[in-house]
């Protein structure tokens, strides 16, 4: 459900052919995390079936999300996403695999991989927190998917007990923080969900253009002309005023 939670978001991105104010960072980090957990499961072997299956599914889903993002993103957003993918998912992951295979002892390998996975698992939970600044500045939750925050919190509880019962604290420990991060995101959502006050200048600084949205998924955001939708580079941002 965590991996599938962004489906409504990416349906809207594909439908509008624009990423608008959405960021690719959470999905790049989630892809890297899934790749790391697969590597951890292959190294651990014992009690690794569930880790392998869900994270293999995750790699496929997150790759699809990123592909849609790259197709629909602006040139600047596309370039920054590609740089992030190359830096993290190619050089970062590749460097970690090579170093643990050839520069560490077999007895230490699982522990090192486990700690790396622990840190990146926290990153997956924390990555949507970057949206909070945008929510506060625009007083709108249009770019903060509540479903993702909710399922991250629920997911954290489930994986905490799974890791705890297996005495695998590389799985259990980050999920305690993951639950807290999810709660913070949902509280922010509840605070701003009914706010329609948006400073167009601030939104333009964030996105490079003013976006007119009547409805996106389950969130509502009205900025200027309520009956128009302006895509980057297609419409004058002052239309409808």
């Amino acid at each position: 459900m965590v991996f599938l939670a962004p489906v409504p978001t990416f349906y809207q991105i594909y439908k509008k052919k624009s990423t608008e104010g959405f960021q690719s960072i959470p999905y790049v980090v989630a892809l890297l995390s899934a790749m790391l957990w697969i590597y951890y499961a292959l190294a651990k072997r014992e009690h690794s079936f569930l880790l392998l299956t869900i994270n293999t599914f995750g790699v496929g889903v997150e790759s699809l999300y990123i592909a849609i993002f790259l197709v629909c993103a602006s040139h600047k957003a596309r370039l920054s996403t590609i740089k992030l993918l190359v830096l993290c998912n190619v050089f970062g992951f590749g460097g970690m695999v090579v170093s643990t295979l050839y520069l560490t002892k077999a007895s230490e390998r699982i522990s090192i991989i486990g700690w790396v996975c622990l840190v990146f698992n926290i990153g997956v939970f924390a990555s949507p927190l970057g949206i909070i600044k945008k929510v506060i500045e625009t007083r709108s939750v249009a770019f903060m998917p509540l479903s993702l925050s909710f399922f991250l919190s629920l997911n954290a509880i489930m994986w905490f007990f799974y890791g705890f019962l297996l005495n695998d604290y590389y799985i259990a420990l980050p999920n305690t923080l993951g639950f807290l991060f999810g709660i913070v995101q949902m509280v922010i959502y509840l605070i701003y969900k009914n706010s329609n006050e948006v400073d167009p200048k601030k939104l333009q600084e964030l996105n490079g253009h003013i976006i007119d949205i009547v409805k996106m998924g389950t969130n509502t955001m009205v900025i200027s002309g309520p009956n128009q939708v302006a895509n980057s580079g297609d419409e004058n941002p002052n239309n409808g005023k």
Side-chain angles (χ1 to χ4, degrees):
M1 296 305 295
V2 170
F3 287 131
L4 294 177
V7 166
T9 296
F10 279 90
Y11 173 74
Q12 292 296 332
I13 289 175
Y14 177 77
K15 186 177 180 180
K16 297 177 182 295
K17 306 300 181 185
S18 171
T19 57
E20 297 177 324
F22 292 100
Q23 298 179 354
S24 63
I25 295 175
Y27 311 105
V28 174
V29 173
L31 175 61
L32 179 57
S33 178
M35 293 165 64
L36 289 169
W37 281 116
I38 289 174
Y39 184 45
Y40 174 75
L42 291 173
K44 184 181 178 181
R45 296 184 182 179
E46 185 179 359
H47 303 299
S48 63
F49 177 74
L50 292 178
L51 283 175
L52 280 173
T53 51
I54 187 57
N55 285 291
T56 299
F57 176 77
V59 166
V61 172
E62 298 297 338
S63 297
L64 179 60
Y65 291 155
I66 294 170
I68 294 173
F69 188 93
L70 289 173
V71 170
C72 300
S74 64
H75 176 73
K76 183 178 179 181
R78 186 182 299 116
L79 188 61
S80 63
T81 299
I82 292 173
K83 288 180 179 179
L84 188 62
L85 278 170
V86 172
L87 179 63
C88 296
N89 298 67
V90 177
F91 290 109
F93 179 75
M96 194 276 290
V97 170
V98 171
S99 61
T100 52
L101 283 177
Y102 297 103
L103 301 179
T104 62
K105 298 179 181 178
S107 58
E108 301 173 344
R109 189 170 300 144
I110 293 179
S111 177
I112 293 172
I113 299 171
W115 275 105
V116 172
C117 289
L118 185 152
V119 171
F120 273 92
N121 201 24
I122 293 174
V124 171
F125 288 117
S127 57
L129 292 176
I131 304 295
I132 289 180
K133 180 180 178 182
K134 181 178 290 188
V135 171
I136 295 173
E137 289 181 342
T138 63
R139 300 184 64 81
S140 170
V141 296
F143 300 121
M144 185 177 183
L146 177 64
S147 58
L148 180 59
S149 299
F150 173 76
F151 284 118
L152 281 172
S153 301
L154 185 62
N155 175 77
I157 296 172
M158 305 290 282
W159 280 105
F160 167 77
F161 283 107
Y162 177 78
F164 179 77
L165 293 172
L166 288 179
N167 293 319
D168 191 332
Y169 296 103
Y170 299 121
I171 298 175
L173 182 60
N175 285 289
T176 57
L177 297 176
F179 175 71
L180 296 177
F181 287 151
I183 293 297
V184 169
Q185 293 169 53
M186 287 189 285
V187 168
I188 294 295
Y189 183 93
L190 293 174
I191 291 173
Y192 289 100
K193 69 174 183 176
N194 294 321
S195 177
N196 289 325
E197 298 178 11
V198 183
D199 186 339
K201 291 183 179 179
K202 288 184 177 180
L203 190 62
Q204 191 169 23
E205 291 174 357
L206 289 167
N207 300 328
H209 63 289
I210 296 177
I211 307 166
D212 297 328
I213 301 175
V214 175
K215 185 176 181 181
M216 175 167 289
T218 59
N219 304 323
T220 301
M221 173 177 167
V222 179
I223 299 173
S224 58
N227 296 319
Q228 298 177 348
V229 176
N231 293 323
S232 178
D234 295 335
E235 299 286 344
N236 186 324
N238 294 317
N239 285 348
K241 291 189 177 181

